[in-house]
Amino acid sequence: MNTQSTKNNTAKTGAINNVVIAGGGTAGWMAAAAFAKLVGKNINVTLVESDQIPTVGVGEATIPTLHIFHDLLKIKESEFMAATNASFKLGISFENWRDQNKDYIHSFGYLGQGCWAAGFQHFWLKGQQQNIASEIGDYCPEHLACRKQKFAVVSNQDRNHAFHLDAGLYAKFLRQFAEQHGATRIEGKIEQVNLEPQNGFIESLSLENGKTVAGDLFIDCTGFVGLLIEKALHTGYEDWSHWLPCDSAIAVQTEQVKPALPYTRSIAHPFGWQWKIPLQNRMGNGMVFCSKHVSDEEAKATLLGNIEGKLLNEPKIIKYRTGTRRKHWNKNCVAVGLSSGFLEPLESTSIHLIQQSIIRLLQHLPSKAMEQSLADDFNAKMRFEIDNIRDFIVMHYKVTERTDSAFWRYCKTMPIPQGLKSRIDLFEESAQAFKTDGELFGETSWIQVMIGQGLMPQSYHPIVDNMSDQELKNFLDTIKNSIAKRVDSLPHHLDFIRQYCLAKPM
Ligand code: FAD
Protein backbone atom coordinates (compact mmCIF):
# COMPACT_ATOMS: atom_id res chain seq x y z
CA MET A 1 0.00 0.00 0.00
CA ASN A 2 1.22 3.47 -0.80
CA THR A 3 1.20 5.26 2.57
CA GLN A 4 1.26 8.66 0.88
CA SER A 5 -2.21 8.10 -0.45
CA THR A 6 -3.90 7.03 2.76
CA LYS A 7 -5.02 10.25 4.41
CA ASN A 8 -3.63 13.36 2.84
CA ASN A 9 -0.84 14.76 0.74
CA THR A 10 1.74 14.06 3.47
CA ALA A 11 4.72 14.36 1.15
CA LYS A 12 4.07 18.09 1.00
CA THR A 13 4.50 20.62 3.78
CA GLY A 14 4.13 24.35 4.28
CA ALA A 15 1.47 26.89 3.46
CA ILE A 16 -0.28 26.76 0.13
CA ASN A 17 0.98 29.26 -2.45
CA ASN A 18 -1.31 28.75 -5.41
CA VAL A 19 -5.10 28.53 -5.50
CA VAL A 20 -6.52 27.73 -8.93
CA ILE A 21 -10.19 28.41 -9.63
CA ALA A 22 -11.63 26.59 -12.64
CA GLY A 23 -14.62 28.44 -14.10
CA GLY A 24 -15.75 32.05 -14.09
CA GLY A 25 -19.50 32.13 -13.41
CA THR A 26 -20.97 33.53 -10.21
CA ALA A 27 -19.23 30.83 -8.17
CA GLY A 28 -15.81 31.31 -9.76
CA TRP A 29 -15.75 35.08 -9.44
CA MET A 30 -17.17 35.05 -5.90
CA ALA A 31 -14.35 32.66 -4.96
CA ALA A 32 -11.71 34.74 -6.75
CA ALA A 33 -12.95 37.97 -5.15
CA ALA A 34 -12.93 36.49 -1.65
CA PHE A 35 -9.59 34.70 -1.92
CA ALA A 36 -7.85 37.70 -3.53
CA LYS A 37 -9.20 40.19 -1.00
CA LEU A 38 -8.89 38.08 2.15
CA VAL A 39 -5.77 35.92 1.67
CA GLY A 40 -4.31 37.26 -1.57
CA LYS A 41 -1.29 38.84 0.13
CA ASN A 42 0.33 35.45 0.55
CA ILE A 43 -1.48 33.27 -1.96
CA ASN A 44 -1.59 33.57 -5.74
CA VAL A 45 -5.16 33.39 -6.97
CA THR A 46 -5.63 32.30 -10.60
CA LEU A 47 -8.97 31.85 -12.36
CA VAL A 48 -9.24 29.91 -15.62
CA GLU A 49 -12.35 30.36 -17.74
CA SER A 50 -13.34 29.89 -21.33
CA ASP A 51 -15.24 32.41 -23.41
CA GLN A 52 -16.29 29.43 -25.56
CA ILE A 53 -18.36 27.93 -22.72
CA PRO A 54 -21.21 30.12 -21.49
CA THR A 55 -22.16 30.44 -17.84
CA VAL A 56 -25.56 29.06 -16.79
CA GLY A 57 -26.85 32.64 -17.08
CA VAL A 58 -29.48 32.48 -14.32
CA GLY A 59 -29.30 32.87 -10.53
CA GLU A 60 -30.61 36.37 -10.01
CA ALA A 61 -32.53 36.18 -6.73
CA THR A 62 -30.63 36.14 -3.44
CA ILE A 63 -31.34 35.92 0.30
CA PRO A 64 -30.23 38.36 3.03
CA THR A 65 -27.08 36.43 3.96
CA LEU A 66 -25.34 37.99 0.95
CA HIS A 67 -24.70 40.95 3.28
CA ILE A 68 -22.25 38.76 5.20
CA PHE A 69 -20.22 38.12 2.06
CA HIS A 70 -20.26 41.75 0.95
CA ASP A 71 -19.37 42.99 4.44
CA LEU A 72 -16.38 40.64 4.55
CA LEU A 73 -15.15 41.98 1.24
CA LYS A 74 -16.12 45.58 2.10
CA ILE A 75 -18.34 45.84 -0.95
CA LYS A 76 -20.61 48.86 -0.70
CA GLU A 77 -24.27 47.96 -1.17
CA SER A 78 -25.29 50.98 -3.24
CA GLU A 79 -22.30 50.56 -5.60
CA PHE A 80 -22.89 46.87 -6.17
CA MET A 81 -26.60 47.48 -6.75
CA ALA A 82 -26.04 50.26 -9.28
CA ALA A 83 -23.50 48.05 -11.09
CA THR A 84 -25.83 45.05 -11.31
CA ASN A 85 -29.19 46.74 -12.00
CA ALA A 86 -30.31 45.33 -8.67
CA SER A 87 -33.59 45.84 -6.88
CA PHE A 88 -34.41 44.98 -3.27
CA LYS A 89 -36.03 41.69 -2.33
CA LEU A 90 -38.01 41.29 0.89
CA GLY A 91 -39.36 37.83 0.24
CA ILE A 92 -41.09 35.51 -2.20
CA SER A 93 -44.76 35.52 -3.15
CA PHE A 94 -45.93 31.92 -3.55
CA GLU A 95 -48.94 31.95 -5.83
CA ASN A 96 -51.14 28.89 -6.49
CA TRP A 97 -48.84 26.76 -4.34
CA ARG A 98 -51.26 25.88 -1.57
CA ASP A 99 -53.99 25.54 -4.17
CA GLN A 100 -55.07 27.38 -7.30
CA ASN A 101 -55.84 31.02 -6.45
CA LYS A 102 -54.38 30.75 -2.95
CA ASP A 103 -51.31 32.92 -2.36
CA TYR A 104 -48.99 33.75 0.52
CA ILE A 105 -45.67 35.51 1.08
CA HIS A 106 -42.54 34.07 2.66
CA SER A 107 -40.83 37.24 3.85
CA PHE A 108 -37.41 37.64 5.43
CA GLY A 109 -38.48 39.41 8.62
CA TYR A 110 -39.44 38.30 12.11
CA LEU A 111 -42.99 37.59 13.22
CA GLY A 112 -44.54 39.62 16.03
CA GLN A 113 -43.28 38.90 19.50
CA GLY A 114 -43.32 35.71 21.54
CA CYS A 115 -42.43 34.86 25.12
CA TRP A 116 -39.93 32.51 26.76
CA ALA A 117 -42.23 29.51 26.36
CA ALA A 118 -44.00 30.12 23.09
CA GLY A 119 -43.32 31.92 19.82
CA PHE A 120 -45.64 34.52 18.36
CA GLN A 121 -47.47 31.92 16.25
CA HIS A 122 -49.12 30.53 19.40
CA PHE A 123 -50.62 33.93 20.26
CA TRP A 124 -51.65 34.48 16.66
CA LEU A 125 -53.31 31.05 16.47
CA LYS A 126 -55.53 31.74 19.45
CA GLY A 127 -56.24 35.19 17.97
CA GLN A 128 -57.35 33.51 14.75
CA GLN A 129 -59.65 31.17 16.67
CA GLN A 130 -61.17 34.17 18.48
CA ASN A 131 -61.42 36.18 15.25
CA ILE A 132 -59.24 38.95 16.66
CA ALA A 133 -56.13 38.32 14.55
CA SER A 134 -55.73 39.17 10.87
CA GLU A 135 -53.43 37.42 8.39
CA ILE A 136 -50.04 36.46 9.79
CA GLY A 137 -48.12 38.80 7.47
CA ASP A 138 -49.68 41.83 9.20
CA TYR A 139 -47.39 41.05 12.12
CA CYS A 140 -44.17 41.11 10.09
CA PRO A 141 -42.77 44.45 8.79
CA GLU A 142 -41.01 42.92 5.77
CA HIS A 143 -44.15 41.07 4.74
CA LEU A 144 -46.29 44.20 4.94
CA ALA A 145 -43.62 46.20 3.10
CA CYS A 146 -43.82 43.66 0.25
CA ARG A 147 -47.58 44.18 -0.04
CA LYS A 148 -47.27 47.95 0.13
CA GLN A 149 -44.13 48.04 -2.06
CA LYS A 150 -42.30 50.09 0.56
CA PHE A 151 -38.62 49.99 1.35
CA ALA A 152 -35.71 51.84 2.94
CA VAL A 153 -32.35 50.84 4.39
CA VAL A 154 -32.61 51.97 8.01
CA SER A 155 -29.23 52.12 9.68
CA ASN A 156 -30.20 50.93 13.17
CA GLN A 157 -32.39 48.04 12.02
CA ASP A 158 -31.65 44.47 10.94
CA ARG A 159 -30.90 44.17 7.25
CA ASN A 160 -33.61 41.65 6.44
CA HIS A 161 -33.44 42.32 2.75
CA ALA A 162 -31.83 40.64 -0.22
CA PHE A 163 -31.45 41.55 -3.88
CA HIS A 164 -32.55 40.71 -7.38
CA LEU A 165 -29.45 41.16 -9.53
CA ASP A 166 -28.19 40.66 -13.07
CA ALA A 167 -26.03 37.51 -12.85
CA GLY A 168 -23.84 38.51 -15.82
CA LEU A 169 -23.18 41.96 -14.38
CA TYR A 170 -22.54 40.52 -10.92
CA ALA A 171 -19.81 38.23 -12.32
CA LYS A 172 -18.35 41.23 -14.19
CA PHE A 173 -18.44 43.37 -11.02
CA LEU A 174 -16.73 40.64 -9.01
CA ARG A 175 -14.17 40.05 -11.74
CA GLN A 176 -13.14 43.70 -11.63
CA PHE A 177 -13.00 43.52 -7.82
CA ALA A 178 -10.94 40.31 -7.85
CA GLU A 179 -8.49 41.59 -10.46
CA GLN A 180 -8.05 44.86 -8.53
CA HIS A 181 -7.09 42.74 -5.52
CA GLY A 182 -4.53 40.74 -7.46
CA ALA A 183 -6.37 37.74 -8.94
CA THR A 184 -5.14 36.65 -12.36
CA ARG A 185 -7.55 35.53 -15.07
CA ILE A 186 -6.39 33.04 -17.69
CA GLU A 187 -8.51 32.60 -20.79
CA GLY A 188 -8.65 29.06 -22.09
CA LYS A 189 -10.65 25.89 -22.32
CA ILE A 190 -9.56 23.25 -19.84
CA GLU A 191 -8.83 20.15 -21.88
CA GLN A 192 -7.33 17.89 -19.27
CA VAL A 193 -7.05 17.63 -15.51
CA ASN A 194 -3.63 16.17 -14.63
CA LEU A 195 -3.42 13.98 -11.52
CA GLU A 196 -0.38 13.14 -9.43
CA PRO A 197 0.31 9.47 -10.18
CA GLN A 198 1.13 8.49 -6.57
CA ASN A 199 -2.02 9.77 -4.85
CA GLY A 200 -4.50 11.02 -7.45
CA PHE A 201 -4.39 14.63 -6.24
CA ILE A 202 -4.80 17.30 -8.91
CA GLU A 203 -1.45 18.61 -10.10
CA SER A 204 -2.41 20.96 -12.92
CA LEU A 205 -4.89 21.85 -15.66
CA SER A 206 -3.93 21.61 -19.32
CA LEU A 207 -5.62 24.16 -21.55
CA GLU A 208 -6.52 23.88 -25.22
CA ASN A 209 -4.12 26.74 -26.00
CA GLY A 210 -1.18 24.72 -24.70
CA LYS A 211 -0.83 26.41 -21.31
CA THR A 212 -0.56 24.42 -18.08
CA VAL A 213 -1.84 25.85 -14.81
CA ALA A 214 -0.43 24.20 -11.68
CA GLY A 215 -1.71 24.72 -8.15
CA ASP A 216 -1.85 23.46 -4.57
CA LEU A 217 -5.59 23.83 -4.05
CA PHE A 218 -8.17 23.67 -6.87
CA ILE A 219 -11.66 25.14 -6.65
CA ASP A 220 -14.03 23.56 -9.14
CA CYS A 221 -16.49 26.21 -10.35
CA THR A 222 -17.09 24.65 -13.77
CA GLY A 223 -20.85 24.35 -13.29
CA PHE A 224 -22.99 21.25 -13.75
CA VAL A 225 -20.22 19.41 -15.63
CA GLY A 226 -18.01 19.23 -12.48
CA LEU A 227 -14.89 18.94 -14.59
CA LEU A 228 -12.48 18.47 -11.68
CA ILE A 229 -14.60 17.05 -8.85
CA GLU A 230 -16.46 14.51 -11.00
CA LYS A 231 -14.92 14.06 -14.42
CA ALA A 232 -11.38 13.82 -12.97
CA LEU A 233 -11.90 12.68 -9.37
CA HIS A 234 -15.09 10.59 -9.77
CA THR A 235 -16.48 11.79 -6.45
CA GLY A 236 -20.04 10.57 -7.02
CA TYR A 237 -23.45 12.20 -6.77
CA GLU A 238 -26.39 11.62 -4.46
CA ASP A 239 -29.60 11.94 -6.44
CA TRP A 240 -32.54 13.67 -4.73
CA SER A 241 -34.94 13.71 -7.67
CA HIS A 242 -37.42 11.48 -5.76
CA TRP A 243 -37.89 14.41 -3.34
CA LEU A 244 -37.29 17.27 -5.79
CA PRO A 245 -38.60 15.90 -9.10
CA CYS A 246 -38.28 19.05 -11.25
CA ASP A 247 -35.34 18.50 -13.61
CA SER A 248 -35.63 21.22 -16.26
CA ALA A 249 -35.92 24.96 -16.58
CA ILE A 250 -36.49 27.51 -19.32
CA ALA A 251 -35.20 31.03 -18.76
CA VAL A 252 -35.95 34.19 -20.71
CA GLN A 253 -35.57 37.90 -20.07
CA THR A 254 -38.22 40.48 -20.94
CA GLU A 255 -38.54 44.22 -20.98
CA GLN A 256 -39.80 45.71 -17.74
CA VAL A 257 -43.39 46.80 -18.31
CA LYS A 258 -44.40 47.39 -14.70
CA PRO A 259 -42.52 48.92 -11.75
CA ALA A 260 -40.22 46.38 -10.07
CA LEU A 261 -41.79 44.74 -7.02
CA PRO A 262 -39.66 44.29 -3.88
CA TYR A 263 -40.15 40.52 -3.96
CA THR A 264 -39.76 37.51 -6.25
CA ARG A 265 -42.90 35.88 -7.63
CA SER A 266 -43.12 32.09 -7.70
CA ILE A 267 -46.25 30.93 -9.51
CA ALA A 268 -47.15 27.25 -9.42
CA HIS A 269 -48.37 25.47 -12.58
CA PRO A 270 -49.70 21.90 -13.01
CA PHE A 271 -46.16 20.57 -13.71
CA GLY A 272 -43.84 22.94 -11.83
CA TRP A 273 -43.57 26.66 -11.22
CA GLN A 274 -42.64 29.94 -12.83
CA TRP A 275 -40.39 32.69 -11.49
CA LYS A 276 -40.52 36.43 -12.05
CA ILE A 277 -37.46 38.31 -10.85
CA PRO A 278 -37.70 42.07 -11.32
CA LEU A 279 -34.50 44.05 -11.85
CA GLN A 280 -34.29 47.81 -12.25
CA ASN A 281 -34.21 47.55 -16.05
CA ARG A 282 -35.71 44.18 -17.00
CA MET A 283 -37.58 41.11 -15.79
CA GLY A 284 -35.99 37.69 -15.39
CA ASN A 285 -38.52 34.92 -16.13
CA GLY A 286 -38.34 31.20 -16.02
CA MET A 287 -40.24 27.98 -15.71
CA VAL A 288 -39.01 25.11 -13.54
CA PHE A 289 -40.69 21.85 -14.50
CA CYS A 290 -40.68 18.09 -14.29
CA SER A 291 -39.98 16.49 -17.67
CA LYS A 292 -41.95 13.37 -16.65
CA HIS A 293 -45.10 15.49 -16.62
CA VAL A 294 -44.67 18.00 -19.45
CA SER A 295 -42.68 18.36 -22.65
CA ASP A 296 -40.13 21.15 -23.14
CA GLU A 297 -42.39 22.63 -25.84
CA GLU A 298 -45.47 22.76 -23.62
CA ALA A 299 -43.54 24.20 -20.70
CA LYS A 300 -42.08 26.84 -23.00
CA ALA A 301 -45.50 27.70 -24.41
CA THR A 302 -46.91 28.05 -20.88
CA LEU A 303 -44.03 30.30 -19.88
CA LEU A 304 -44.34 32.51 -22.95
CA GLY A 305 -48.09 32.73 -22.40
CA ASN A 306 -47.59 33.98 -18.85
CA ILE A 307 -45.04 36.75 -19.25
CA GLU A 308 -45.33 40.38 -20.24
CA GLY A 309 -43.09 42.63 -22.33
CA LYS A 310 -40.87 42.08 -25.35
CA LEU A 311 -38.44 39.14 -25.18
CA LEU A 312 -34.84 40.31 -24.78
CA ASN A 313 -33.21 36.97 -25.58
CA GLU A 314 -34.00 33.51 -26.88
CA PRO A 315 -35.55 31.20 -24.27
CA LYS A 316 -32.85 28.87 -22.96
CA ILE A 317 -33.49 25.33 -21.77
CA ILE A 318 -31.46 24.06 -18.82
CA LYS A 319 -31.44 20.42 -17.72
CA TYR A 320 -30.31 19.36 -14.24
CA ARG A 321 -30.53 16.63 -11.65
CA THR A 322 -31.28 17.64 -8.07
CA GLY A 323 -28.85 16.28 -5.53
CA THR A 324 -25.43 16.78 -4.04
CA ARG A 325 -21.87 15.70 -4.73
CA ARG A 326 -20.97 12.95 -2.22
CA LYS A 327 -18.04 15.05 -1.00
CA HIS A 328 -17.70 18.73 -1.78
CA TRP A 329 -14.02 18.61 -0.79
CA ASN A 330 -12.18 15.63 -2.27
CA LYS A 331 -8.34 15.41 -2.16
CA ASN A 332 -7.11 18.93 -3.08
CA CYS A 333 -10.28 19.93 -4.90
CA VAL A 334 -13.28 21.79 -3.50
CA ALA A 335 -16.47 22.01 -5.56
CA VAL A 336 -18.27 25.35 -5.28
CA GLY A 337 -21.50 26.29 -7.03
CA LEU A 338 -23.30 24.03 -9.49
CA SER A 339 -20.35 21.61 -9.64
CA SER A 340 -21.14 20.70 -6.00
CA GLY A 341 -24.80 19.89 -6.66
CA PHE A 342 -28.10 21.65 -7.13
CA LEU A 343 -31.27 21.68 -5.06
CA GLU A 344 -33.45 23.89 -7.18
CA PRO A 345 -34.02 27.65 -7.23
CA LEU A 346 -37.30 27.79 -5.28
CA GLU A 347 -35.85 29.57 -2.23
CA SER A 348 -32.89 31.22 -4.04
CA THR A 349 -30.35 29.35 -1.93
CA SER A 350 -27.56 28.54 -4.41
CA ILE A 351 -25.64 31.81 -4.17
CA HIS A 352 -25.91 31.51 -0.40
CA LEU A 353 -24.36 28.02 -0.59
CA ILE A 354 -21.59 29.37 -2.81
CA GLN A 355 -20.67 31.97 -0.23
CA GLN A 356 -20.91 29.40 2.58
CA SER A 357 -18.49 27.10 0.74
CA ILE A 358 -16.05 29.94 0.13
CA ILE A 359 -16.13 31.36 3.66
CA ARG A 360 -15.95 27.87 5.16
CA LEU A 361 -13.00 26.97 2.94
CA LEU A 362 -11.20 30.12 4.02
CA GLN A 363 -11.90 29.17 7.64
CA HIS A 364 -10.60 25.64 6.93
CA LEU A 365 -7.65 26.75 4.79
CA PRO A 366 -5.37 23.71 4.53
CA SER A 367 -1.59 23.57 4.20
CA LYS A 368 -0.01 21.77 1.24
CA ALA A 369 -0.53 18.52 3.18
CA MET A 370 -4.31 18.93 2.61
CA GLU A 371 -5.26 17.83 6.13
CA GLN A 372 -8.02 15.23 5.86
CA SER A 373 -9.57 16.38 9.15
CA LEU A 374 -10.24 19.82 7.64
CA ALA A 375 -11.86 18.27 4.59
CA ASP A 376 -13.99 15.95 6.76
CA ASP A 377 -15.21 18.80 8.95
CA PHE A 378 -15.90 20.98 5.91
CA ASN A 379 -17.88 18.20 4.23
CA ALA A 380 -19.89 17.40 7.36
CA LYS A 381 -20.85 21.05 7.92
CA MET A 382 -21.79 21.63 4.28
CA ARG A 383 -23.83 18.47 4.26
CA PHE A 384 -25.74 19.41 7.41
CA GLU A 385 -26.60 22.80 5.96
CA ILE A 386 -27.64 21.44 2.56
CA ASP A 387 -29.79 18.65 4.04
CA ASN A 388 -31.74 21.24 6.01
CA ILE A 389 -32.21 23.56 3.03
CA ARG A 390 -33.33 20.55 1.00
CA ASP A 391 -35.96 19.67 3.61
CA PHE A 392 -37.26 23.23 3.66
CA ILE A 393 -37.65 23.22 -0.12
CA VAL A 394 -39.22 19.74 -0.22
CA MET A 395 -41.79 20.96 2.33
CA HIS A 396 -43.20 23.47 -0.21
CA TYR A 397 -44.06 20.60 -2.57
CA LYS A 398 -45.22 18.13 0.05
CA VAL A 399 -47.51 20.35 2.10
CA THR A 400 -50.06 21.33 -0.53
CA GLU A 401 -53.76 20.97 -1.13
CA ARG A 402 -53.26 20.69 -4.90
CA THR A 403 -54.47 17.46 -6.46
CA ASP A 404 -55.28 18.84 -9.91
CA SER A 405 -52.39 17.15 -11.77
CA ALA A 406 -50.29 14.00 -11.63
CA PHE A 407 -47.27 16.13 -10.67
CA TRP A 408 -48.95 17.62 -7.58
CA ARG A 409 -50.52 14.29 -6.62
CA TYR A 410 -47.01 12.77 -6.69
CA CYS A 411 -45.60 15.59 -4.53
CA LYS A 412 -48.44 15.41 -2.02
CA THR A 413 -48.04 11.68 -1.47
CA MET A 414 -44.27 11.19 -1.92
CA PRO A 415 -42.23 9.83 1.01
CA ILE A 416 -40.09 12.56 2.58
CA PRO A 417 -36.93 12.61 4.72
CA GLN A 418 -37.64 11.59 8.33
CA GLY A 419 -36.34 14.90 9.76
CA LEU A 420 -38.82 16.83 7.66
CA LYS A 421 -41.66 14.52 8.62
CA SER A 422 -40.89 15.11 12.31
CA ARG A 423 -40.88 18.88 11.80
CA ILE A 424 -44.21 18.81 10.02
CA ASP A 425 -45.76 16.59 12.72
CA LEU A 426 -44.38 18.82 15.46
CA PHE A 427 -45.88 21.92 13.91
CA GLU A 428 -49.18 20.30 13.06
CA GLU A 429 -49.67 18.90 16.56
CA SER A 430 -48.27 21.69 18.69
CA ALA A 431 -47.35 24.76 16.55
CA GLN A 432 -43.69 24.32 17.48
CA ALA A 433 -40.97 25.30 15.02
CA PHE A 434 -37.22 25.41 15.64
CA LYS A 435 -33.84 26.26 14.18
CA THR A 436 -30.69 24.42 15.26
CA ASP A 437 -27.15 25.80 14.96
CA GLY A 438 -25.86 25.76 11.41
CA GLU A 439 -29.29 25.78 9.78
CA LEU A 440 -30.16 28.51 7.32
CA PHE A 441 -33.90 28.89 7.68
CA GLY A 442 -35.26 30.12 10.99
CA GLU A 443 -38.59 29.58 12.74
CA THR A 444 -40.24 32.49 10.96
CA SER A 445 -39.52 30.97 7.57
CA TRP A 446 -40.83 27.54 8.55
CA ILE A 447 -43.95 29.05 10.12
CA GLN A 448 -44.79 31.34 7.20
CA VAL A 449 -44.38 28.58 4.63
CA MET A 450 -46.12 25.84 6.62
CA ILE A 451 -49.13 28.06 7.33
CA GLY A 452 -49.00 29.47 3.80
CA GLN A 453 -49.10 25.97 2.34
CA GLY A 454 -52.16 25.21 4.45
CA LEU A 455 -50.73 23.41 7.49
CA MET A 456 -52.66 24.91 10.40
CA PRO A 457 -51.58 23.60 13.84
CA GLN A 458 -54.17 21.76 15.90
CA SER A 459 -53.29 23.51 19.15
CA TYR A 460 -51.31 26.38 20.65
CA HIS A 461 -49.21 26.53 23.82
CA PRO A 462 -51.39 26.77 26.96
CA ILE A 463 -49.35 29.73 28.25
CA VAL A 464 -51.30 31.90 25.81
CA ASP A 465 -54.40 31.32 27.97
CA ASN A 466 -52.72 33.32 30.76
CA MET A 467 -53.91 36.36 28.78
CA SER A 468 -57.57 37.28 28.80
CA ASP A 469 -59.18 37.64 25.38
CA GLN A 470 -59.07 41.43 25.75
CA GLU A 471 -55.38 41.35 26.70
CA LEU A 472 -54.64 39.14 23.72
CA LYS A 473 -56.52 41.52 21.42
CA ASN A 474 -54.61 44.52 22.77
CA PHE A 475 -51.32 42.64 22.41
CA LEU A 476 -52.01 41.67 18.78
CA ASP A 477 -53.38 45.10 17.85
CA THR A 478 -50.41 46.93 19.36
CA ILE A 479 -47.95 44.86 17.31
CA LYS A 480 -49.99 45.18 14.13
CA ASN A 481 -50.52 48.93 14.45
CA SER A 482 -46.92 49.73 15.22
CA ILE A 483 -45.77 47.66 12.21
CA ALA A 484 -48.30 49.37 9.93
CA LYS A 485 -47.14 52.80 11.15
CA ARG A 486 -43.49 51.90 10.59
CA VAL A 487 -44.12 50.55 7.09
CA ASP A 488 -46.33 53.47 6.08
CA SER A 489 -43.52 55.86 6.94
CA LEU A 490 -41.16 54.20 4.42
CA PRO A 491 -40.73 55.48 0.85
CA HIS A 492 -41.95 53.53 -2.16
CA HIS A 493 -39.42 50.86 -3.15
CA LEU A 494 -38.67 52.55 -6.49
CA ASP A 495 -38.29 56.02 -4.97
CA PHE A 496 -35.72 54.59 -2.59
CA ILE A 497 -33.85 52.86 -5.43
CA ARG A 498 -33.81 56.11 -7.43
CA GLN A 499 -31.98 58.01 -4.73
CA TYR A 500 -29.87 55.13 -3.37
CA CYS A 501 -28.55 52.94 -6.16
CA LEU A 502 -29.93 53.92 -9.58
CA ALA A 503 -28.19 51.95 -12.35
CA LYS A 504 -26.75 53.84 -15.30
CA PRO A 505 -28.75 53.28 -18.51
CA MET A 506 -27.06 50.60 -20.67
P1 FAD B 1 -21.75 28.41 -14.33
O1 FAD B 1 -22.47 29.69 -14.33
O2 FAD B 1 -22.25 27.32 -15.22
O3 FAD B 1 -20.23 28.70 -14.70
C1 FAD B 1 -19.35 27.70 -15.10
C2 FAD B 1 -18.06 28.33 -15.56
O4 FAD B 1 -17.14 27.30 -15.84
C3 FAD B 1 -18.16 29.18 -16.82
O5 FAD B 1 -17.38 30.34 -16.66
C4 FAD B 1 -17.56 28.30 -17.91
O6 FAD B 1 -16.94 29.06 -18.94
C5 FAD B 1 -16.51 27.55 -17.08
N1 FAD B 1 -16.13 26.29 -17.69
C6 FAD B 1 -16.85 25.15 -17.79
N2 FAD B 1 -16.13 24.19 -18.44
C7 FAD B 1 -14.93 24.76 -18.71
C8 FAD B 1 -13.76 24.30 -19.40
N3 FAD B 1 -13.68 23.06 -19.93
N4 FAD B 1 -12.73 25.15 -19.51
C9 FAD B 1 -12.79 26.41 -18.98
N5 FAD B 1 -13.86 26.89 -18.36
C10 FAD B 1 -14.92 26.07 -18.23
N6 FAD B 1 -29.22 30.62 -7.54
C11 FAD B 1 -29.65 31.58 -6.69
O7 FAD B 1 -28.99 31.83 -5.69
N7 FAD B 1 -30.79 32.27 -6.95
C12 FAD B 1 -31.58 31.99 -8.01
O8 FAD B 1 -32.59 32.66 -8.20
C13 FAD B 1 -31.20 30.93 -8.86
N8 FAD B 1 -31.95 30.59 -9.93
C14 FAD B 1 -31.56 29.54 -10.72
C15 FAD B 1 -32.40 29.08 -11.73
C16 FAD B 1 -32.03 27.96 -12.49
C17 FAD B 1 -32.96 27.46 -13.55
C18 FAD B 1 -30.79 27.34 -12.27
C19 FAD B 1 -30.37 26.17 -13.10
C20 FAD B 1 -29.94 27.80 -11.29
C21 FAD B 1 -30.32 28.87 -10.48
N9 FAD B 1 -29.53 29.31 -9.43
C22 FAD B 1 -29.97 30.28 -8.59
C23 FAD B 1 -28.19 28.75 -9.26
C24 FAD B 1 -27.17 29.73 -9.83
O9 FAD B 1 -27.49 29.98 -11.18
C25 FAD B 1 -25.77 29.19 -9.72
O10 FAD B 1 -25.53 28.76 -8.41
C26 FAD B 1 -24.75 30.25 -10.05
O11 FAD B 1 -25.04 30.85 -11.27
C27 FAD B 1 -23.36 29.68 -10.07
O12 FAD B 1 -23.13 28.91 -11.22
P2 FAD B 1 -21.65 28.38 -11.42
O13 FAD B 1 -20.73 29.56 -11.39
O14 FAD B 1 -21.43 27.28 -10.47
O15 FAD B 1 -21.69 27.73 -12.87
Side-chain angles (χ1 to χ4, degrees), residues 63 65 347 349 352 385 388-389 435-436 438-442 445:
I63 56 172
T65 52
E347 283 284 353
T349 42
H352 165 80
E385 188 165 355
N388 282 294
I389 295 175
K435 176 185 180 194
T436 42
E439 277 188 51
L440 173 61
F441 289 104
S445 292

Side-chain angles (χ1 to χ4, degrees), residues 23-24 26-27 50 53 55-56 58-59 61 190 221-222 227 249 338 342 345 350-351:
T26 304
S50 166
I53 303 171
T55 62
V56 71
V58 282
I190 302 161
C221 299
T222 57
L227 208 60
L338 297 172
F342 186 51
S350 294
I351 294 175

Side-chain angles (χ1 to χ4, degrees), residues 20 46-52 175 184-194 203-215 218:
V20 175
T46 307
L47 183 144
V48 184
E49 69 174 324
S50 166
D51 285 339
Q52 293 173 50
R175 172 178 169 184
T184 306
R185 175 187 185 273
I186 296 181
E187 166 61 34
K189 188 170 169 195
I190 302 161
E191 220 172 35
Q192 194 175 308
V193 178
N194 305 308
E203 190 173 54
S204 62
L205 308 177
S206 296
L207 311 189
E208 200 179 53
N209 58 19
K211 283 186 189 152
T212 301
V213 186
F218 290 80

Side-chain angles (χ1 to χ4, degrees), residues 119-126 136 427 431-433 447 451 460:
F120 176 73
Q121 72 275 18
H122 297 271
F123 297 85
W124 176 81
L125 277 166
K126 181 168 181 191
I136 195 147
F427 190 70
Q432 304 279 359
I447 293 164
I451 289 176
Y460 56 81

Side-chain angles (χ1 to χ4, degrees), residues 92-163:
I92 304 175
S93 164
F94 287 95
E95 302 169 23
N96 304 335
W97 274 84
R98 174 175 175 179
D99 209 342
Q100 281 148 313
N101 303 315
K102 285 193 180 162
D103 306 342
Y104 70 96
I105 292 177
H106 168 205
S107 68
F108 296 137
Y110 293 102
L111 277 177
Q113 194 190 319
C115 74
W116 65 273
F120 176 73
Q121 72 275 18
H122 297 271
F123 297 85
W124 176 81
L125 277 166
K126 181 168 181 191
Q128 280 274 301
Q129 289 171 10
Q130 307 284 321
N131 267 329
I132 51 172
S134 57
E135 72 162 288
I136 195 147
D138 288 343
Y139 304 88
C140 171
E142 289 75 11
H143 181 121
L144 194 61
C146 283
R147 287 185 356 230
K148 296 195 166 195
Q149 299 183 40
K150 299 276 200 163
F151 185 80
V153 176
V154 182
S155 57
N156 58 353
Q157 278 172 18
D158 287 347
R159 290 176 295 168
N160 292 328
H161 64 267
F163 314 97

